[in-house]
Amino acid sequence: MEQEKIKILIIEFDSKILLKIKDVLSNQEGVSYEVSWLQKEEELLKKIDEERFDAIMLSYDLPGANGMEILSGLQYKELQGPVIMLANKGQEEFGAQAMRQGAYGYVIRQKGFEQGLPLVIHNALSAFKRDKERERLQREVAAKKIELEAANKKLKELDRIKSDFVANVAHEFRTPLTIIKGNVDLVVKGGLGDVTSEQKEMLDGAKNVANRLARLVNDLLDISKIESGKMNLRADSINMNRIIEENLPGFTKMIKDRKQTLKKELARDMPDIKADMDKITQVFINLVSNAIKYSPEGGSIAVKSLNLENEIMVEISDTGEGVSPENLDKIFDKFTRVTAEKKEGTGLGLPIAKDIVVLHKGRMWVKSEIGKGSQFYFTLPK
């Protein structure tokens, strides 16, 4: 097995101490020490510049020189290994000072001190390697951080451009859609003459498509406003029970056509709170629409309100197919569908609803189980 080779530079002016150290290091099994030494301070920096040493042993007490000053100067050199200080008995306090200034160990030169040097050198080399590896990793992390910050800045700019584009396109769609809907309504109502049943059926189909596109445009505009921080909320005085009671009748025909049942359980002590009436109504309508849409024919929908200590809560449950555990985290992601069944819509309703609730400093979450339906909850602070 090849021996480990360690190159040591000893800065010590006492030749007797030098011989003791060299004698001990030359008799170590498994390690081959190549020992160099200096007895003139002025040769030190030149020696370090010219050669690579795995460790340096530096005497604190040098005739005509100060070991601590030399140690301080070595900090500005690109050393390949640790510095270990040598001091006489009674100079222990300088050992701690040397460690603070960058030394990796110190040895008191008393009887038999040289026997412990191999262990001191080993520990100093290990600590030095750990520190250098940590510094390398820190440099890599710093470099990666700069790269990530630059990439993040670029992504934010691309996201802003995308949001501006979506908003502009949505605005461009809104005006012609309004004209199309208005013209279709005019024709359906006989404004341009009598309309046959076949013509009315086709016009109703066109009107439904225009309404669906209008909903898409409104969703895209809402997303754009939320992402850009431009969605302004009014501080209306609202009562959640009143919103529920006023909007549930609008779903009567849809529920009847699907032979579904609707149950409601509203808190009797529901207080008024401050929130944007239109936005909270939008959240409620979205959740009820989804519950009806994803429940099968003959299924049931339940709406419940609760007055909690610091907030109010609304629960809307259905008997639909449910959502698998791995998809629950994705259910509020934009443009994402987590069910195999294709339904009409943009995939933006739930993300918008949650964002609106969060903007009100509320919470929204879902519980679901495959084959047993889903329960959506949202809260609003009092």
Side-chain angles (χ1 to χ4, degrees):
M1 184 175 179
E2 187 177 351
Q3 285 189 324
E4 181 185 5
K5 294 181 179 180
I6 299 177
K7 192 172 181 180
I8 303 286
L9 173 64
I10 303 175
I11 306 165
E12 169 61 68
F13 295 176
D14 189 327
S15 57
K16 292 181 180 179
I17 292 176
L18 285 171
L19 291 173
K20 285 183 178 181
I21 295 173
K22 189 175 181 181
D23 184 56
V24 167
L25 296 182
S26 63
N27 291 307
Q28 298 300 309
E29 293 184 4
V31 182
S32 174
Y33 287 96
E34 181 183 333
V35 180
S36 301
W37 62 86
L38 289 175
Q39 293 182 310
K40 292 182 180 180
E41 179 192 356
E42 58 269 19
E43 297 176 358
L44 172 60
L45 299 181
K46 181 182 177 183
K47 188 79 171 176
I48 291 175
D49 286 336
E50 291 176 348
E51 296 185 50
R52 176 190 179 280
F53 295 98
D54 297 308
I56 297 173
M57 302 188 72
L58 172 62
S59 176
Y60 165 74
D61 190 13
L62 295 169
N66 187 310
M68 295 299 292
E69 290 180 359
I70 294 174
L71 174 63
S72 181
L74 290 176
Q75 293 179 17
Y76 300 99
K77 292 289 184 180
E78 190 65 33
L79 299 181
Q80 302 299 315
V83 177
I84 301 167
M85 295 297 292
L86 301 172
N88 292 326
K89 192 170 178 60
Q91 297 174 334
E92 288 86 354
E93 70 274 13
F94 296 109
Q97 183 182 349
M99 297 288 282
R100 288 193 296 270
Q101 287 190 211
Y104 277 79
Y106 69 94
V107 177
I108 301 301
R109 289 177 297 203
Q110 54 190 355
K111 187 176 181 180
F113 80 92
E114 66 275 9
Q115 300 300 323
L117 285 179
L119 179 59
V120 173
I121 294 171
H122 171 79
N123 291 340
L125 287 171
S126 298
F128 185 84
K129 289 176 182 177
R130 286 196 302 270
D131 286 351
K132 287 300 179 183
E133 178 64 12
R134 183 172 65 249
E135 290 173 7
R136 184 187 67 79
L137 291 174
Q138 287 173 342
R139 286 194 298 270
E140 286 187 6
V141 168
K144 290 294 183 184
K145 183 180 178 182
I146 292 171
E147 289 179 20
L148 288 172
E149 287 175 349
N152 189 46
K153 185 177 180 180
K154 185 175 181 180
L155 285 173
K156 284 183 177 179
E157 178 62 16
L158 290 173
D159 191 56
R160 184 193 64 77
I161 293 171
K162 179 267 297 179
S163 296
D164 289 347
F165 174 76
V166 168
N168 290 335
V169 170
H171 278 295
E172 290 297 322
F173 270 115
R174 175 174 273 182
T175 299
L177 276 173
T178 301
I179 295 171
I180 291 170
K181 288 171 62 180
N183 289 341
V184 170
D185 281 336
L186 178 64
V187 175
V188 168
K189 292 175 181 177
L192 298 179
D194 293 338
V195 178
T196 66
S197 58
E198 290 85 357
Q199 290 172 332
K200 184 177 184 302
E201 184 178 348
M202 293 183 69
L203 289 169
D204 284 340
K207 185 177 177 181
N208 288 336
V209 171
N211 285 333
R212 181 149 54 91
L213 287 174
R215 288 193 296 272
L216 170 60
V217 167
N218 289 332
D219 284 348
L220 291 173
L221 287 173
D222 280 343
I223 284 292
S224 177
K225 289 177 183 177
I226 291 169
E227 289 182 343
S228 64
K230 295 178 181 178
M231 178 170 277
N232 298 317
L233 301 178
R234 299 196 313 267
D236 302 321
S237 179
I238 71 165
N239 186 285
M240 198 64 229
N241 282 358
R242 194 176 305 124
I243 290 177
I244 294 171
E245 295 281 17
E246 289 177 355
N247 287 279
L248 280 181
F251 296 102
T252 301
K253 184 178 185 306
M254 190 185 304
I255 291 172
K256 184 178 179 181
D257 290 344
R258 297 173 66 87
K259 298 181 176 60
Q260 295 171 340
T261 59
L262 173 67
K263 300 176 184 177
K264 64 179 178 181
E265 183 182 341
L266 306 184
R268 294 183 178 181
D269 57 345
M270 181 61 67
D272 289 349
I273 63 170
K274 292 293 184 181
D276 189 308
M277 171 79 76
D278 292 339
K279 297 303 179 187
I280 298 304
T281 300
Q282 178 182 346
V283 170
F284 176 72
I285 289 174
N286 178 272
L287 293 179
V288 175
S289 298
N290 280 350
I292 295 170
K293 184 164 58 176
Y294 287 101
S295 287
E297 186 171 310
S300 62
I301 294 91
V303 176
K304 184 178 182 180
S305 68
L306 295 92
N307 179 20
L308 306 179
E309 184 176 356
N310 298 312
E311 56 190 2
I312 65 165
M313 185 172 78
V314 177
E315 174 188 346
I316 298 171
S317 57
D318 62 60
T319 54
E321 63 185 66
V323 181
S324 61
E326 63 269 19
N327 283 327
L328 275 179
D329 290 339
K330 305 174 187 175
I331 204 164
F332 295 109
D333 291 348
K334 299 176 182 66
F335 303 103
T336 300
R337 290 196 180 281
V338 296
T339 60
E341 185 180 359
K342 292 185 177 179
K343 300 286 184 181
E344 180 186 305
T346 63
L348 293 172
L350 285 175
I352 290 171
K354 183 171 183 178
D355 284 342
I356 289 173
V357 170
V358 171
L359 285 173
H360 280 85
K361 302 190 185 310
R363 300 174 292 132
M364 180 178 285
W365 68 98
V366 59
K367 295 180 181 178
S368 189
E369 189 175 345
I370 291 292
K372 295 186 178 181
S374 304
Q375 301 84 45
F376 284 84
Y377 304 84
F378 71 88
T379 68
L380 295 169
K382 291 181 179 179

